[in-house]
Amino acid sequence: MAKASSYHSTKRTRKGAVTSFGSRTDVGCTREQNEDSLVVQPPLFVVADGMGGHAAGEVASEIAVTTISECAPDTADAEELGMAVEQANRDIINAALAGEGREGMGTTCTAAMLEGNQLVIAQVGDSRAYLLHGGKLTQLTRDHSLMANMIEAGQITPEEARVHPSRSVITRALGSDPLTTPDLYEINVEDGDRLLLCSDGLTAMVEDDEIEAVMNRVADPQRCASALVNEAIAAGGLDNVTVIVADAEGAAKVKRRRIAVRTWITVLFVLLLLVGIIAGAAWGGYTYLHSTAYLAQNDKGMVAVYRGVPGDVLGFSYSELVQDTDVPVADLAPSASERIAQGMRVSSVDEAIALVDSYREELAQQKASAASASASAASSEASPSDSSEPAGSTSTGGVASAR
């Protein structure tokens, strides 16, 4: 049974990581297991092709992508990405010495970080990185292979290299030499550019112009990756094939997206502020209506205490009867009775009750005063006025008596 390839897809949280991507790996038509591994953790993308002619190539590729995933920098930095690849090389060698996998296992590795307008690549072996720019596909990396050396030396043509018996010979790979270092690339990209990382299972089966046509024709990155793998399988699928497609979003698009995010944040803030104002007003109104009070005349002509406000507010009545009293409105002073008849507002129910108590006390005093005045009047009527002298009394006036 074919072994499933290693596929790391957990997203890493990194500032500016705004790429649209797709990937696919397949065992192909002739191999028993898939020795390819890949990482899709934007802005980090890695393809590793375990060396088919060596034992435990799948173990080597798995170690490579795991180490790079753990050691890659948080931002697109070619030097630091290269150091992560070098660490992967040491880990593969140490694993073989510790009995994990087998001695001599190795893997190619092409690691890329695509962040805004910046693309950095660290590469060892013949897994490739391409860039589609303005509809034109360009190979970014140089193969570390015998065929690449022979083509550069003018010994064979690229067409002859595709069918050469030694076309699978790799001149540099991870796991073979502790001093192996990757080739590093730093490239500026633009909005609309498209990155392709792939193992030689694609490039050995599909010509570059055919790859270019598919990448121009299929807009969605995931569908594009699947279409390229299908092309390799349709051509014979003689090797494992792994493809990652990632679309670049440059500074202009990042800026637009950030502006859109800020706009939404502003709109959300304004909405929350508006909701807060409305909620505050509602709470304030509720608190006011349930704390304020007024005095009014009930249907029996007595003073009544109400919570709320008299009349309607926006067509709604906000009042609640708290207490009917025994204080007649008609007995109060004209100014008070007139205000109560219209609804006398006070600050609280307690103040309203206290005011009713004062009215009651005032009326009681008035009744007491009236009763006292009435009693005094009755007493005055019962007492006699000026009295006449009694009959037979002798005047003491001096009158000389006659002799």
Side-chain angles (χ1 to χ4, degrees):
M1 178 178 291
K3 173 186 177 293
S5 65
S6 174
Y7 177 29
H8 295 248
S9 61
T10 303
K11 293 185 179 180
R12 298 152 64 118
T13 302
R14 291 187 172 123
K15 185 178 180 181
V18 285
T19 52
S20 177
F21 58 89
S23 63
R24 182 182 168 190
T25 184
D26 194 278
V27 69
C29 300
T30 61
R31 297 294 180 91
E32 294 184 357
Q33 60 185 11
N34 194 345
E35 296 182 330
D36 289 357
S37 297
L38 69 156
V39 168
V40 179
Q41 295 175 340
L44 176 67
F45 304 95
V46 186
V47 169
D49 180 1
M51 296 166 62
H54 293 67
E58 70 278 9
V59 176
S61 66
E62 166 69 16
I63 293 172
V65 297
T66 300
T67 299
I68 295 171
S69 175
E70 294 173 351
C71 299
D74 290 335
T75 57
D77 185 295
E79 293 291 338
E80 291 190 19
L81 184 60
M83 287 189 287
V85 173
E86 291 174 12
Q87 183 60 50
N89 179 55
R90 291 190 291 270
D91 287 351
I92 293 170
I93 294 172
N94 292 335
L97 294 175
E100 181 180 355
R102 296 181 183 178
E103 183 179 358
M105 65 182 180
T107 182
T108 69
C109 176
T110 299
M113 295 188 71
L114 178 59
E115 190 171 23
N117 288 114
Q118 188 176 13
L119 170 63
V120 297
I121 300 170
Q123 178 251 347
V124 174
D126 64 349
S127 292
R128 295 178 181 177
Y130 289 86
L131 186 69
L132 184 71
H133 173 75
K136 179 66 177 177
L137 187 68
T138 302
Q139 182 178 339
L140 300 177
T141 54
R142 176 190 178 277
D143 293 349
H144 299 147
S145 67
L146 178 61
M147 293 300 98
N149 293 342
M150 294 178 68
I151 292 171
E152 291 176 359
Q155 298 175 359
I156 59 174
T157 66
E159 290 72 20
E160 292 171 337
R162 297 180 68 84
V163 294
H164 195 282
S166 300
R167 61 183 178 275
S168 298
V169 177
I170 304 299
T171 58
R172 196 191 310 178
L174 301 184
S176 58
D177 182 352
L179 300 180
T180 295
T181 58
D183 289 345
L184 303 180
Y185 303 84
E186 296 184 14
I187 302 160
N188 291 325
V189 297
E190 299 178 2
D191 289 3
D193 287 354
R194 172 168 279 186
L195 172 67
L196 168 65
L197 302 184
C198 61
S199 63
D200 67 340
L202 174 67
T203 54
M205 305 305 300
V206 184
E207 298 280 356
D208 283 5
D209 58 346
E210 295 173 333
I211 295 174
E212 177 183 284
V214 173
M215 293 186 69
N216 278 308
R217 184 178 73 251
V218 184
D220 178 72
Q222 181 58 56
R223 291 182 57 200
C224 182
S226 294
L228 290 172
V229 171
N230 289 339
E231 290 287 333
I233 293 174
L238 300 180
D239 197 357
N240 309 143
V241 54
T242 299
V243 171
I244 297 174
V245 176
D247 289 338
E249 293 186 345
K253 185 172 290 187
V254 172
K255 184 177 180 180
R256 289 194 298 270
R257 179 171 293 185
R258 288 175 179 171
I259 291 173
V261 170
R262 285 198 297 267
T263 300
W264 277 109
I265 291 174
T266 301
V267 170
L268 180 60
F269 175 77
V270 171
L271 289 175
L272 290 176
L273 182 61
L274 182 60
V275 169
I277 291 172
I278 294 173
W283 175 251
Y286 175 85
T287 302
Y288 172 75
L289 292 173
H290 282 73
S291 62
T292 190
Y294 67 96
L295 301 178
Q297 180 176 306
N298 63 17
D299 54 2
K300 296 180 180 179
M302 301 295 182
V303 177
V305 178
Y306 291 87
R307 179 182 285 109
V309 294
D312 294 338
V313 178
L314 300 177
F316 295 93
S317 175
Y318 296 94
S319 64
E320 175 188 358
L321 177 63
V322 176
Q323 178 182 320
D324 282 322
T325 74
D326 56 356
V327 178
V329 176
D331 292 349
L332 300 177
S335 59
S337 61
E338 183 178 348
R339 291 177 61 194
I340 291 173
Q342 295 175 354
M344 179 191 295
R345 295 192 184 189
V346 292
S347 61
S348 67
V349 171
D350 290 342
E351 183 178 343
I353 293 174
L355 191 56
V356 170
D357 290 341
S358 69
Y359 288 154
R360 186 180 289 111
E361 184 178 349
E362 181 180 343
L363 290 178
Q365 290 176 354
Q366 289 176 1
K367 288 182 180 180
S369 296
S372 176
S374 177
S376 296
S379 175
S380 297
E381 290 177 359
S383 298
S385 300
D386 296 334
S387 300
S388 300
E389 293 184 1
S393 60
T394 302
S395 174
T396 62
V399 179
S401 60
R403 288 184 176 230

